[in-house]
């Protein structure tokens, strides 16, 4: 029940003004729930058919869909383990739409965990260019790595670095930069009602100061002519319109641009004197998604800065890896390098990584262990069935799927390393002998 005498809602009334009545009415309805199709793995029609659920398109992203709140267990579904979809609040997809990623772009997602927007960017890149995902909190960065791996993304770098260190080192490198800034989270109150009791108005100014500092760092990494999108999931004008207005006042080389995809409503003019602020967009629950703010900015500076390219370290045992590859795969393995005992398949273009805390770059193919090459889970997640010479094909409703995801051995009439696929999408691998497949699905990902 909405309590209008609550300090939070009184503040919302001042913030939203004439939109407050619509906002208040939205609390009579359930929060929105959505998923985004990973087109690197499948398409919406096939996904809906296998999941046997109704999927209705959202206005925020072409591959984003509303799903019913009563649907249970999708996080444990074999297709989720295979990376066929990402469970994501619908309006959270709007920021990447505003970025308008093109194939071949080099894109930085500066505040990336848990990875919804990074994996969405990768989906648009279609394996080309580069998606660099950064997260300053170490525990969240590990979750980010896991999601990038699950979605089968090959052209990525994941770092755990301070934004200013990262952006200073990569000055002028990126075509697009996304700053989905940490915020007070006011837009998510319908999903998390308890947040109202924990809300404090003074958190707005603390968040706004941090957001402006992140933007000051982010703009360094953007090349001349590039696009930066700033987004939050808060309703606060102090963290939205005012942050953008303050940034523009100190950065004449940036200008606001219209967002071509139509969603939400114009940003508010009652927070600042800049009439162009209406080019940014606000999303309220009555617009089909939880609260969000999105602004698109273009850099119009005079000079680009460039960074050096990564120098490749050759494999210590090239023959051992190539023998493994030729026996297991029927596709090109791409650019290779070696870090310690690990063999890495790199994206086509990677900047100099020295001095940065890198957690993941490209795909970790596997490790040299004594006199043999041992493949990693990431290698199979980044592969398609047609890439593999040995693969066990299962249906999502087959009990063997659940057994495999629990870590059990399953029957297999093949020999050696073998991919395991569900409805044509690889979800892991094992090693077959004597009619059984020894399970190599990572313990931390298994169904309990």
């Amino acid at each position: 029940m909405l309590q209008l005498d609550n300090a939070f809602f009184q503040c919302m009334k001042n913030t939203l003004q004439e939109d407050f009545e619509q906002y208040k009415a939205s609390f009579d309805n359930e929060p929105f729930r959505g998923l985004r199709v990973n087109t690197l793995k499948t398409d919406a029609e096939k996904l809906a058919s296998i999941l046997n659920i109704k999927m209705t398109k959202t206005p925020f992203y072409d591959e984003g869909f509303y799903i019913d709140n009563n649907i249970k267990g999708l996080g444990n579904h074999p297709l989720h383990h295979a990376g066929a979809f990402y469970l994501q609040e619908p309006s959270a997809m709007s920021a990447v739409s505003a970025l308008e990623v093109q194939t071949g772009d080099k894109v930085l997602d500066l505040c990336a965990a848990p990875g919804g927007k990074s994996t969405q960017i990768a989906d648009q890149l279609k394996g080309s260019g580069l998606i660099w995902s950064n997260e300053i909190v170490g525990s969240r960065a590990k979750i980010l790595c896991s999601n990038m791996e699950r979605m089968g993304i090959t052209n990525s770098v994941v770092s755990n670095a301070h934004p200013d260190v990262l952006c200073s080192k990569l000055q002028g490198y990126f075509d697009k930069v996304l700053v989905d800034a940490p915020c007070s989270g006011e837009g998510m109150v319908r999903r998390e009602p308890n947040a109202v009791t924990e809300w404090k108005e003074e958190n707005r100014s603390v968040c706004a100061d941090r957001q402006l500092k992140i933007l000051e760092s982010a703009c360094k990494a953007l090349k001349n002519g590039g696009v930066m999108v700033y987004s939050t999931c808060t309703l606060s004008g102090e963290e939205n319109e005012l942050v953008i207005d303050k940034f523009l006042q100190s950065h004449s080389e940036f200008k606001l641009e219209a967002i071509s995809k139509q969603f939400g409503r114009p940003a508010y003019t009652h927070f600042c004197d800049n009439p162009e602020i209406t080019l940014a967009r606000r999303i309220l629950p009555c617009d089909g998604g939880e609260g969000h703010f999105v602004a698109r900015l273009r850099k119009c500076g005079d000079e680009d800065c460039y960074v050096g390219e990564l120098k490749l370290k050759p494999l210590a045992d090239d023959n051992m890896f190539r023998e493994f590859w030729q026996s297991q795969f029927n596709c090109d393995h791409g650019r290779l390098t070696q870090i310690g005992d690990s063999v890495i398949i790199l994206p086509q273009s990677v900047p100099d990584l020295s001095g940065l805390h890198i957690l993941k770059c490209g795909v970790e193919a596997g490790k040299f262990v004594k006199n043999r090459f041992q493949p990693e889970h990431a290698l199979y997640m980044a592969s398609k069935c047609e890439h593999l010479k040995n693969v066990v094909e299962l249906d999502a409703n087959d009990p063997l799927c659940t057994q495999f995801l629990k870590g059990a051995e399953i029957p297999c009439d093949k020999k050696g390393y073998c991919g395991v696929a569900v409805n044509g999408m690889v979800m892991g691998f094992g090693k077959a002998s004597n009619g059984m497949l020894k399970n190599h699905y990572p313990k931390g990902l298994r169904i309990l």
Side-chain angles (χ1 to χ4, degrees), residues 380-396:
Y380 284 85
M381 292 305 292
S383 302
K384 300 183 185 299
C385 286
E386 56 266 30
H387 294 160
L388 305 177
K389 291 186 177 179
N390 290 321
V391 61
V392 176
E393 296 265 13
L394 301 173
D395 182 82

Side-chain angles (χ1 to χ4, degrees), residues 123-413:
D123 189 38
Q124 293 189 320
L125 288 172
K126 306 300 180 191
S128 69
L130 181 71
I131 167 62
W132 186 304
S133 307
N134 182 69
E135 173 56 47
I136 193 171
V137 180
S139 59
R140 287 170 55 80
K142 291 178 182 178
I143 297 170
L144 170 61
C145 280
S146 180
N147 278 321
M148 298 295 278
E149 180 177 278
R150 178 175 65 87
M151 304 296 273
I153 295 162
T154 60
N155 57 330
S156 69
V157 174
V158 178
S159 60
N160 170 217
H162 190 282
D164 200 54
V165 173
L166 179 70
C167 296
S168 295
K169 178 68 184 293
L170 301 178
Q171 194 162 342
Y173 184 76
F174 293 99
D175 301 288
K176 308 279 172 63
V177 172
L178 174 63
V179 178
D180 183 45
C183 66
S184 59
E186 295 173 354
M188 298 295 110
V189 164
R190 291 197 328 137
R191 289 166 59 94
E192 302 170 11
N194 290 338
V196 173
T197 60
E198 300 171 3
W199 175 86
K200 295 179 181 178
E201 188 169 4
E202 54 265 32
N203 287 344
R204 287 176 156 193
S205 58
V206 173
C207 290
D209 289 343
R210 180 173 56 200
Q211 290 152 358
L212 196 55
K213 288 177 182 176
I214 294 173
L215 278 176
E216 291 287 349
S217 298
C219 67
K220 300 174 188 176
L222 188 64
K223 75 176 189 179
N224 181 42
V227 169
M228 180 166 68
V229 165
Y230 172 80
S231 66
T232 73
C233 61
T234 188
L235 301 174
S236 161
E238 191 172 353
E239 299 173 66
N240 292 331
E241 288 89 348
L242 275 174
V243 164
I244 292 300
D245 187 51
K246 288 178 182 178
F247 176 78
L248 290 173
Q249 287 181 31
S250 60
H251 288 274
S252 59
E253 75 276 21
F254 278 85
K255 65 177 182 179
L256 273 165
E257 285 191 336
I259 297 170
S260 60
K261 194 163 189 63
Q262 296 299 302
F263 56 77
R265 60 192 65 202
Y268 294 148
T269 56
H270 55 260
F271 290 114
C272 64
D273 295 330
N274 184 353
E276 292 189 351
I277 200 67
T278 56
L279 294 173
R281 308 292 293 179
R282 274 183 173 262
I283 300 166
L284 299 180
C286 37
D287 301 320
E290 304 306 320
H292 265 78
F293 175 87
V294 184
R296 174 184 166 98
L297 303 103
R298 175 82 63 177
K299 186 176 184 179
C300 307
D302 297 326
E303 297 181 1
D304 278 343
C305 298
Y306 299 92
V307 294
E309 288 293 309
L310 177 67
K311 295 180 180 178
L312 303 186
K313 182 180 179 180
L315 304 190
D317 194 334
D318 184 78
N319 290 333
M320 187 188 299
F321 173 77
R322 293 185 189 281
E323 286 173 8
F324 161 81
W325 191 269
Q326 290 167 7
S327 68
Q328 303 295 323
F329 290 80
N330 55 13
C331 61
D332 179 31
H333 51 62
R335 297 199 311 156
L336 298 174
T337 192
Q338 185 171 345
I339 301 175
D341 293 328
S342 296
V343 176
I344 311 296
I345 304 175
L346 292 169
Q348 286 303 308
S349 178
V350 183
D352 180 12
L353 305 177
S354 61
L356 299 171
H357 189 193
I358 305 301
L359 303 182
K360 178 182 182 296
C361 181
V363 177
E364 185 176 0
K367 292 182 173 69
F368 292 120
V369 180
K370 296 182 179 178
N371 295 320
R372 60 190 175 88
F373 180 80
Q374 183 174 302
E376 290 284 348
H377 178 68
L379 177 62
Y380 284 85
M381 292 305 292
S383 302
K384 300 183 185 299
C385 286
E386 56 266 30
H387 294 160
L388 305 177
K389 291 186 177 179
N390 290 321
V391 61
V392 176
E393 296 265 13
L394 301 173
D395 182 82
N397 296 315
D398 190 330
L400 288 177
C401 267
T402 302
Q403 290 183 36
F404 177 78
L405 293 173
K406 287 184 175 181
E409 293 187 359
I410 61 174
C412 179
D413 59 2

